[in-house]
Amino acid sequence: MTRREFLVGTAAACATMRARATTNAGGVSTLPHVDMSKALGEHAAAKGILFGTALGVGPLKDPAYADLVARQCTIGVSENALKWAALRPAPDRYDFGAGDYCFQFLSSHGMKYRGHTLVWELALPTWFHNTVNAGNAKAMMLDHISVVVRHYAGKMHSWDVVNEAIELNDGRPDGLKNTPWLQMVGPEYIEMAFHAAHEADPKAMLTYNENWLEPESWAETKRQATVALLTNLKKKGVPVHGLGIQSHLFAETVVGGPHFARFLDEVADLGLAILITEMDIRDQHLGGSVETRDQAVAQKYYDYLSFMLQRKAVKVVLTWGLSNRYTWISEHNPRPDGSPVRPLPYDADLKPTPAWSAVAAAFDQASER
Ligand code: G3I
């Protein structure tokens, strides 16, 4: 299915969704009642699940927001602080300032830390393309992984070792994206990266992180390429321990169908953990009042999380930001009507949105892991 057909389907999905809105005739939410005195992290922990969010130094310097994160979450992931662009001001230098700031915040609250991401074709420093070439790319990649992972050795819950390495449109039989790493090191760059990360920190869970795996209708070929990659890595004894499913959804994205279900079971059957690593739900294509949009977003959180948590392999759930005050979507994907986006469990005033109750309800109904 092309993206255009997907968007056409979107309009239809919107209509259905308005019909299925999570409110009854009186506009009262039909989501299960939840105990709002308990934090989301507590609702999750009761089922053996970690709940957390993406962190940045800027938002953490907002005391009210930092308190909210510390109250609601049990794990945090670096949104940008541990990408090459932030870590590598120069080819021979490392700057752990932002990464350590996030670590200090988390460890001071007894929270776990996820690292994102050691190998990706984006968020590379300005010097990268003039300095890294086929002659030194492998050494640069392995040195980077070794230095960065050793810096947090024994302190990191998990690492996204490789991020978004599959792109079917690049036309390769293995579905791999034609990234600078693939061009300069070869397809083995992925297994090399996992071996290097494991050698540097044998205790950390090592994950492959990918996007656009969730839509039932048009992501099947990507899911199959992802399972093939993971199966091949496991067959070779590569130390990959989990799959990160980013879960950047639209409120109208149709998820939770039989194809996605089979995919999750295939991944679990490989003995891999499944992590929801970057969840947010966009209301870009929704019209109507803020209340109507919020209810539709909440319904999608509830439906998606309820579906995912049916699998005991899902033990970690992170949103990509906790409040609409700090979301990448405001800058990268604003609403066509210019009104503020509302993809997260807290609004810009740090008040819980209906999505908060939806997430808590999904945890409450999940079975213990
Ligand atoms: O740090 C520079 C700053 O010095 C400069 O003044 C400023 C203005 O241009 O840019 C700052 O860099 C920005 C960086 O975020 C840190 O804020 C980049 O321009 C901006 O492109 C970058 O966006 C991040 C994006 O990944 C690319 O790395 C988003 O915040 C982040 O939410 C997004 O996250 C990705 C995941 O890593 C992977 N999955 C998809 C997800 C959303 O795109």
Side-chain angles (χ1 to χ4, degrees), residues 79-80 83 116-117 120 122-123 163-164 209 211 246 248 278 320 328 331-332:
E79 181 172 2
N80 293 302
K83 293 172 181 172
H116 173 80
T117 177
W120 190 24
L122 297 178
N163 187 50
E164 300 174 13
N209 197 46
N211 60 12
Q246 291 185 8
H248 292 289
E278 307 183 14
W320 207 237
W328 67 288
E331 185 198 333
H332 290 253

Side-chain angles (χ1 to χ4, degrees), residues 13-177:
C14 290
T16 353
M17 231 179 28
R18 271 192 291 281
R20 284 190 58 236
T22 56
T23 58
N24 62 21
V28 179
S29 171
T30 54
L31 284 171
H33 173 74
V34 292
D35 176 355
M36 295 196 77
S37 70
K38 283 196 328 191
L40 289 176
E42 291 171 286
H43 284 273
K47 301 304 171 65
I49 301 166
L50 290 171
F51 172 77
T53 195
L55 304 175
V57 173
L60 285 180
K61 288 194 172 161
D62 171 349
Y65 182 71
D67 289 350
L68 188 70
V69 171
R71 170 83 183 95
Q72 293 294 321
C73 301
T74 54
I75 187 169
V77 59
S78 51
E79 181 172 2
N80 293 302
L82 294 176
K83 293 172 181 172
W84 279 66
L87 279 171
R88 305 296 301 275
D92 57 355
R93 276 183 43 221
Y94 289 82
D95 176 357
F96 288 101
D100 289 356
Y101 188 96
C102 295
F103 175 68
Q104 294 310 331
F105 169 80
L106 290 164
S107 52
S108 68
H109 291 96
M111 299 161 70
K112 295 183 186 307
Y113 195 16
R114 292 203 74 233
H116 173 80
T117 177
L118 296 167
V119 183
W120 190 24
E121 89 275 6
L122 297 178
L124 294 171
T126 50
W127 53 264
F128 185 90
H129 295 290
N130 311 334
T131 310
V132 182
N133 54 51
N136 63 13
K138 179 180 172 185
M140 292 285 286
M141 181 185 83
L142 296 179
D143 176 68
H144 179 87
I145 294 172
S146 176
V147 171
V148 174
V149 175
R150 280 178 210 288
H151 181 82
Y152 295 105
K155 301 171 189 158
M156 206 52 102
H157 166 273
S158 53
W159 274 103
D160 288 335
V161 176
V162 176
N163 187 50
E164 300 174 13
I166 290 174
E167 175 51 69
L168 282 296
N169 293 333
D170 284 357
R172 289 177 52 95
D174 56 15
L176 291 183
K177 188 186 288 182

